[in-house]
Amino acid sequence: RRPGADGRRRLAKLWEGAQSVEFRITENEREALLLEDLLIKRFQPPLNVLLKDDKSFLYLTIPSGHEFPPIRLARKASKLGVSFGPYPSARATRETKRLLKLAFGLRDCSDATLANRTRPCLQKEIGLCLGPCVESLDSGAYEAAVQGTKNVLAGKVATIIQKEEVVMAEASSCQEYETALHARNRVRALEKLKDPQGI
């Protein structure tokens, strides 16, 4: 049946302007929606009226220009720093952020809070932040945590898990149980982040 036969003029115009057809296979409907959103934002097709506001999905961003860079959620890819995404599920993205904070401890507070804090916040107390605001934290150690976070978001999880398992085993054999516990918590968090997003 010829497109446009149902009376929609837009379909008739699409038929006139089309030069080729390309099919892409996704794992599920959510990935199909994400792919559609990415292609629409990249190519801005004139006959498409949906998904043009750039607010559909979340990104995880690590901005540059900070001694202790935070990890944040954003609706747009950051031009200053590095962004990963977009991710189709807001709930899953927030859970990913929580697991990354559990594994690496990047802050997510504002710069003003970081500068004016005098005692540990709840995030530090429950092990979701390294606490650069109140502890004499080596910027090199924090940078290693930033790089670890980027590696996980880029899909390089298995190698980090192996390293943490070695740390856990060595700490246990030396009876450094607190270090072993932190390593175990990181491994558990990283295990949940192993499956990459297909798109």
Side-chain angles (χ1 to χ4, degrees):
R1 182 172 169 179
R2 182 184 175 88
D6 64 355
R8 287 185 289 173
R9 295 188 333 192
R10 188 172 53 172
L11 287 183
K13 286 186 177 181
L14 180 64
W15 177 260
E16 293 168 6
Q19 296 178 352
S20 64
V21 177
E22 180 180 324
F23 294 93
R24 298 192 184 185
I25 298 173
T26 61
E27 294 293 326
N28 50 54
E29 291 179 5
R30 182 172 288 172
E31 286 193 2
L33 182 62
L34 176 58
L35 178 60
E36 179 186 8
D37 179 72
L38 291 172
L39 293 175
I40 287 170
K41 288 182 171 73
R42 180 182 300 171
F43 297 111
Q44 293 289 305
L47 298 178
N48 190 283
V49 295
L50 301 175
L51 302 174
K52 285 189 175 181
D53 61 359
D54 232 5
K55 295 179 181 175
S56 299
F57 301 116
L58 286 172
Y59 290 82
L60 283 167
T61 68
I62 301 175
S64 58
H66 298 264
E67 182 182 5
F68 301 108
I71 183 169
R72 293 191 174 131
L73 297 171
R75 291 287 178 184
K76 288 185 177 181
S78 174
K79 294 181 179 178
L80 300 175
V82 62
S83 296
F84 296 89
Y87 300 104
S89 168
R91 180 183 298 175
T93 308
R94 290 186 173 91
E95 176 62 7
T96 298
K97 180 187 172 190
R98 187 189 71 81
L99 290 170
L100 286 168
K101 285 171 60 58
L102 181 61
F104 298 104
L106 299 192
R107 70 180 181 94
D108 64 357
C109 60
S110 69
D111 294 340
T113 300
L114 177 70
N116 296 307
R117 194 96 196 159
T118 57
R119 61 193 180 111
C121 66
L122 181 61
Q123 297 276 316
K124 167 63 178 170
E125 294 292 341
I126 63 176
L128 292 178
C129 182
L130 292 174
C133 54
V134 292
E135 292 191 0
S136 56
L137 188 65
D138 181 6
S139 60
Y142 195 89
E143 178 56 35
V146 170
Q147 191 57 52
T149 302
K150 291 178 180 178
N151 287 340
V152 168
L153 289 171
K156 304 171 184 175
V157 187
T159 304
I160 301 174
I161 290 175
Q162 289 174 356
K163 289 180 180 177
E164 290 297 335
E165 287 174 340
V166 169
V167 170
M168 183 171 60
E170 290 178 350
S172 294
S173 65
C174 297
Q175 297 184 351
E176 296 174 359
Y177 298 118
E178 188 171 346
T179 301
L181 177 64
H182 289 313
R184 188 202 67 183
N185 290 342
R186 284 193 292 271
V187 168
R188 288 183 175 177
L190 291 166
E191 287 283 355
K192 294 180 181 179
L193 294 167
K194 268 199 334 190
D195 294 330
Q197 165 67 45
I199 294 297

